[in-house]
Amino acid sequence: MALPLARTLSPLLLADGRIEALFWFELGLTLMCLGAVALLRLPPSERTPAFEKIDFLTFALLAPGVALLCAVLVQGRIQWWSTPWLGYALAVAIPLIGGALLIEHNRANPLLNTRWMLGRNIIRFAIVAASLRILLSEQTFGTVGLLTVVGMGNDQLVTLSLVMTLASIAGVVVSLKTLNMQDLYKPVVIAVALIGLGAWMDSDSTNLTRPSSLYVSQGIIAFAALYFLGPMIMIGVFRALARGPSHIISFSAIFSISQTIGGLAGTALLGSFQIVREKYHAFELTQTLTATDPQVVQRIQQLGGAYARVLGDSALRQASGAGLLGQQVTREANILAYNDVFLGVAMLSAAMVVWLGALWLRFRLKGVNPLAGDLAAVQQMRQKQMS
């Protein structure tokens, strides 16, 4: 919810051109958070020592490894993947992360329980969580990029961001109202289907597409983004609690890393795909533009006519018109590439719906709750604590 809300508020704070108003607003939010933490104390609970000295070694290996991996994912599509230092960073990140996991794997009291994390259900949970974050990059990368290409700035995106914010709030409310501990997979399947539907609706964008054209599709995706989150967290939490409170740290690590890496990987994947498709469409479009085509010549003359008052030389006007035509070709190629991105997200969503839907349908037909054992274990733990 943070990104669309920030896009809604930031242009209003910057309306008078004073950027310090934005920083004052951030400072005010920070002070409000500090006050809330001081006033709303956590209730008394069980406290047990959770950290050991060797945990700092794990952190010293894992933190830079994940940071280097994130740097590769962020800079890959910008510097492009053939840049040498990206390979060096990845070559360092892999042994650092592997060393941290190896230490945890051979500890009697691990901070990250790798044996539990490598279980089939937990791996499936991590894959689904990361995949959903990749699909949601359609909104954070694709939609904003498309509207930027057609000339929309932050001021023109306020209403669209507000629609996305309200849809996100609706997703939270509906998720809470419909949460069913006996059927937590159903909302995830519905959310993936909604993301695919929204992406498919965006896949026919043109240079006339404006923020108002995306209210419905982006509202659907924003709703799905938070509709699935509650059930997904509940699935992971109960699988962790069933093995003991110590597994909560492992679950937190899996969920946070899958969301972070999934979000960065989604932007990197979709961004790289968009660049490749833009080059392809630009080549295809320029192949049809020849100097002997009367329509091309007429178009160049029309575009060059915009400079008639400032350029008296007809050759310069023609060169300027050709430059403007090249810019239009680049814009159209980018729009077609973003359409390919949206269509690709829709296809990936359809594949995930088939996979997750088949799992959910199998559980329903067999009358099996995949979390039944975990829920029973947590219930027994509560009864022992109460007694």
Side-chain angles (χ1 to χ4, degrees), residues 178-194 227-228 231-232 235 353 356-357 359-361 363-364 369-370:
T178 60
L179 187 64
N180 180 6
M181 295 304 300
Q182 304 301 320
D183 194 7
L184 290 175
Y185 281 88
K186 181 179 178 181
V188 179
V189 177
I190 294 175
V192 176
L194 290 176
Y227 178 66
F228 87 93
M232 279 294 298
I235 292 172
V353 167
L356 295 176
L359 288 175
W360 173 76
L361 188 61
F363 294 143
R364 294 287 293 179
N369 181 6

Side-chain angles (χ1 to χ4, degrees), residues 75-312:
Q75 295 296 323
R77 69 184 181 91
I78 300 173
Q79 306 289 335
W80 204 242
W81 303 101
S82 57
T83 304
W85 76 264
L86 293 175
Y88 301 145
L90 190 60
V92 175
I94 292 175
L96 286 175
I97 297 174
L101 296 179
L102 185 62
I103 291 174
E104 293 299 301
H105 191 73
N106 292 282
R107 289 178 58 185
N109 185 28
L111 181 67
L112 301 176
N113 195 312
T114 55
R115 289 177 174 80
W116 176 75
M117 293 167 65
L118 291 175
R120 182 181 62 179
N121 290 330
I122 304 305
I123 291 177
R124 182 168 59 194
F125 169 84
I127 291 174
V128 172
S131 299
L132 280 165
R133 190 53 55 189
I134 291 174
L135 296 178
L136 289 172
S137 297
E138 188 272 357
Q139 188 167 74
T140 56
F141 163 77
T143 303
V144 175
L146 172 67
L147 293 176
T148 301
V149 166
V150 298
M152 298 290 103
N154 289 331
D155 292 341
Q156 287 79 36
L157 301 181
V158 171
T159 306
L160 176 62
S161 299
L162 181 60
V163 169
M164 292 162 58
T165 302
L166 295 176
S168 299
I169 295 173
V172 174
V173 174
V174 175
S175 179
L176 292 174
K177 291 291 186 180
T178 60
L179 187 64
N180 180 6
M181 295 304 300
Q182 304 301 320
D183 194 7
L184 290 175
Y185 281 88
K186 181 179 178 181
V188 179
V189 177
I190 294 175
V192 176
L194 290 176
I195 294 172
L197 174 62
W200 178 75
M201 292 173 64
D202 292 340
S203 62
D204 61 347
S205 300
T206 66
N207 56 20
L208 298 178
T209 297
R210 294 296 180 265
S212 58
S213 308
L214 306 176
Y215 287 168
V216 176
S217 61
Q218 293 307 302
I220 290 174
I221 295 177
F223 175 88
L226 289 182
Y227 178 66
F228 87 93
L229 198 58
M232 279 294 298
I233 292 177
M234 296 298 287
I235 292 172
V237 165
F238 277 98
R239 290 200 184 281
L241 283 177
R243 303 300 185 273
S246 60
H247 287 65
I248 289 296
I249 297 178
S250 300
F251 161 73
S252 300
I254 289 176
F255 187 75
S256 60
I257 291 175
S258 66
Q259 293 296 285
T260 301
I261 299 298
L264 296 177
T267 301
L269 176 64
L270 298 186
S272 301
F273 181 67
Q274 190 272 334
I275 291 173
V276 172
R277 295 301 295 175
E278 186 273 332
K279 301 300 181 186
Y280 169 79
H281 287 298
F283 176 77
E284 291 292 321
L285 291 174
T286 53
Q287 287 292 98
T288 61
L289 301 178
T290 61
T292 58
D293 189 339
Q295 292 183 345
V296 174
V297 175
Q298 182 182 11
R299 185 63 174 170
I300 292 175
Q301 291 175 350
Q302 291 175 346
L303 293 173
Y307 297 96
R309 294 185 178 181
V310 294
L311 292 177

